[in-house]
């Protein structure tokens, strides 16, 4: 997003949004988020200082009600929009291209996450199978018979329950949530880290 809104272009786009009607800061943030299909949303620390500068320059004004400021474009702001109509057209084209790129990237990351979840589930299933095989098939030394109950069996049962709950919850989260790029990358790292930890543990 930095490249799309570099060199004062976010300021120009805020004027464009306000030209469609008065809005408070939160509405502007949500409109930008919607424009980028939820893949980008500016922070309040990005939007409000720019609104204050636009107001100081006489390009927008605000009214306050209920502790909330509603911003409106001024005639001077509309004049700037007219003077920069060509820049605004180019900005809209760049935003459309950026949204297309982000959508493609998000699709690739979601596919990678789904693949990682499937791989993790397969690895965990195999680890459980191996654990059960060791539990039931490997003969214990005569002096120490394999326990059929007690703390060891209880822990193995708890492991099975936790494994089932984990895989179910991961699948539910992936299907239910609309992840941001940052969340998806973090999820991938967490899954990879969990898988590596289990591999080291089971060697």
């Amino acid at each position: 997003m930095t490249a799309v809104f570099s060199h004062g272009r976010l300021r120009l786009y805020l004027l464009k949004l306000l030209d469609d009607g008065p809005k408070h800061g939160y509405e502007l943030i949500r409109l930008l988020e919607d424009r980028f299909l939820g893949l980008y949303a500016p922070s309040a620390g990005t939007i409000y200082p720019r609104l204050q500068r636009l107001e100081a320059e006489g390009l927008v004004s605000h009214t306050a009600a209920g502790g909330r400021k509603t911003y409106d474009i001024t005639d001077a702001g509309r004049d700037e929009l007219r003077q920069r109509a060509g820049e605004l057209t180019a900005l809209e084209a760049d935003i459309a291209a950026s949204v297309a790129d982000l959508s493609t990237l998000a699709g690739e990351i979601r596919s990678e996450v789904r693949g990682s979840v499937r791989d993790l589930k397969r690895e965990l299933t195999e680890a459980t199978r191996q654990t059960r095989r060791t539990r039931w098939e490997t003969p214990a030394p005569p002096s120490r018979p394999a326990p059929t109950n007690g703390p060891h069996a209880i822990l193995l049962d708890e492991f099975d329950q936790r494994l089932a709950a984990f895989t179910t919850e991961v699948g539910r989260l992936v299907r239910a949530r609309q992840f941001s790029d940052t969340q998806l990358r973090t999820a991938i790292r967490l899954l990879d880290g969990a898988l590596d930890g289990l591999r080291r543990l089971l060697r």
Side-chain angles (χ1 to χ4, degrees):
M1 291 318 104
T2 303
V4 173
F5 285 133
S6 61
H7 308 300
R9 298 175 97 194
L10 178 55
R11 150 204 175 100
L12 178 62
Y13 203 70
L14 289 174
L15 287 175
K16 184 263 182 191
L17 293 175
L18 290 174
D19 193 40
D20 295 333
K23 296 171 182 67
H24 53 77
Y26 182 77
E27 286 179 293
L28 293 168
I29 291 172
R30 294 285 76 81
L31 283 170
L32 282 161
E33 184 176 17
D34 291 345
R35 182 67 184 86
F36 286 93
L37 306 180
L39 299 171
Y40 162 76
S43 66
T46 297
I47 294 300
Y48 285 102
R50 283 173 172 78
L51 289 172
Q52 291 170 1
R53 285 196 290 272
L54 287 170
E55 187 169 17
E57 295 168 14
L59 302 178
V60 305
S61 60
H62 84 268
T63 55
R68 172 177 289 179
K69 292 181 178 180
T70 299
Y71 294 86
D72 196 3
I73 193 170
T74 64
D75 290 339
R78 291 190 179 89
D79 287 342
E80 177 157 335
L81 275 181
R82 283 192 292 270
Q83 293 167 13
R84 301 178 63 184
E87 292 179 59
L88 184 57
T89 299
L91 175 56
E92 287 281 17
D94 288 347
I95 289 174
S98 180
V99 169
D101 290 343
L102 284 172
S103 298
T104 300
L105 177 60
E108 292 172 352
I109 293 174
R110 288 189 190 101
S111 296
E112 185 176 348
V113 168
R114 284 193 291 270
S116 296
V117 171
R118 285 194 297 270
D119 291 343
L120 178 60
K121 185 175 180 180
R122 187 162 50 249
E123 293 277 352
L124 289 173
T125 301
E126 180 59 26
T128 303
R129 189 177 296 115
Q130 291 293 337
T131 300
R132 287 172 175 165
R133 185 176 298 123
T134 301
R135 178 184 177 185
W136 299 113
E137 297 179 4
T138 302
S143 59
R144 299 180 63 187
T148 57
N149 51 34
H152 185 70
I154 292 171
L155 285 173
L156 284 172
D157 289 339
E158 183 178 353
F159 171 80
D160 292 344
Q161 292 171 11
R162 294 290 180 87
L163 171 63
F166 175 80
T167 52
T168 298
E169 180 66 9
V170 169
R172 185 189 69 78
L173 288 172
V174 170
R175 289 190 298 273
R177 290 288 304 273
Q178 178 74 20
F179 286 113
S180 68
D181 291 354
T182 300
Q183 289 172 322
L184 286 168
R185 293 190 182 97
T186 300
I188 291 170
R189 288 195 296 271
L190 288 173
L191 288 170
D192 289 343
L195 186 54
D196 287 343
L198 282 170
R199 283 171 174 160
R200 289 193 297 269
L201 178 65
L202 296 170
R203 282 174 184 164

